[in-house]
Amino acid sequence: MHIDPLEKKWIAISLAVVGLFVAIITLDALFHGINPPSKVETIDSASLHLNTEFAEDKLGVQTDAQGVITVRMVAGRYSFFPKHITVPAETPLTFRWVSMDVLHGVHIPMTNMSTMIVPGYVAEITTTFPKPGEYPLLCNEYCGLGHNHMWSNISVIAKEDWQASVKSPAQGEQK
Ligand SMILES: [Cu+2]
C-alpha cells in the first residue's frame, strides 16, 4: 500500500503525541498518585436516609480508633450535607461522597479535591489539605435552577489544634 511521505510524517507526529500523553498519564499515576476512580461501589440513592452509612446522624467527620479520618457527605439539590465541616490540615482524609438525587460535582478551590458525584455510586477520594483556612465547597456539575447557590464550607484547621480538640473530652463529634 502506498502512503504519501507527508501523510507518513503526520502519522508519526500523531502517534508521538499519543505516546507523550500516555507517558504523562503513567508518570502522574505512578509518581503523583493521580488516578481515575477505579473502585466501583454502588448505593441506592433513593434510600440514603435508611442507609447504615449515610443516614443523617452518620454524616460528617469521623475518626476511628486508629485515628483514620473519614468524611461522609451527601450532595443534594442544593447543598452539601452537613453544611459545614472542620478537618485537620496535613492529614490524610478519606472523603466518601454520595448524591441523593441527580448528578453533582464537588470542587474545593486551591486543593486537588474535584470529583463527580454520580447518583447510585459512592465517590471515594483520599486527599490531604496542605494549608489551614476556610474553603468553599462548590458544585461543578449543572444540577438544576439552584445550582449556582449550591455550596457549603469547610474549615481546615492546623494539625496541632485538631489533635487538641480530639483529646478534649468536652468536644463532641465534629460536624
Ligand atoms: Cu450543582
Side-chain angles (χ1 to χ4, degrees):
M1 184 174 74
H2 171 75
I3 302 175
D4 188 84
L6 185 64
E7 211 166 333
K8 263 189 192 155
K9 196 170 125 194
W10 280 107
I11 290 173
I13 290 173
S14 45
L15 287 178
V17 168
V18 170
L20 176 71
F21 287 166
V22 170
I24 290 172
I25 291 169
T26 309
L27 291 177
D28 267 342
L30 295 178
F31 299 107
H32 300 146
I34 299 171
N35 297 296
S38 53
K39 199 182 79 182
V40 175
E41 190 182 341
T42 56
I43 193 161
D44 180 11
S45 287
S47 63
L48 288 179
H49 57 297
L50 304 171
N51 184 282
T52 47
E53 188 181 349
F54 291 98
E56 204 176 343
D57 58 329
K58 308 277 184 353
L59 300 180
V61 185
Q62 274 152 18
T63 311
D64 73 5
Q66 283 79 46
V68 176
I69 301 173
T70 305
V71 184
R72 293 184 176 82
M73 300 281 285
V74 171
R77 286 181 291 183
Y78 294 102
S79 188
F80 297 95
F81 306 98
K83 210 43 193 145
H84 176 252
I85 57 168
T86 304
V87 294
E90 299 167 84
T91 309
L93 307 165
T94 298
F95 282 84
R96 287 173 62 74
W97 304 93
V98 289
S99 165
M100 66 161 89
D101 40 39
V102 297
L103 177 68
H104 295 285
V106 60
H107 171 56
I108 305 179
M110 294 167 288
T111 73
N112 70 347
M113 173 61 74
S114 183
T115 185
M116 282 170 112
I117 309 171
V118 183
Y121 294 89
V122 179
E124 185 176 305
I125 290 190
T126 300
T127 189
T128 301
F129 297 136
K131 284 197 202 120
E134 296 295 319
Y135 297 83
L137 215 142
L138 310 167
C139 180
N140 62 2
E141 294 285 343
Y142 183 74
C143 54
L145 285 178
H147 168 66
N148 51 338
H149 301 291
M150 180 160 172
W151 52 272
S152 293
N153 292 93
I154 177 163
S155 303
V156 179
I157 61 171
K159 206 175 174 180
E160 307 80 62
D161 298 344
W162 173 264
Q163 277 153 354
S165 78
V166 167
K167 279 187 194 120
S168 153
Q171 185 83 20
E173 56 178 331
Q174 296 281 327
K175 282 230 166 161

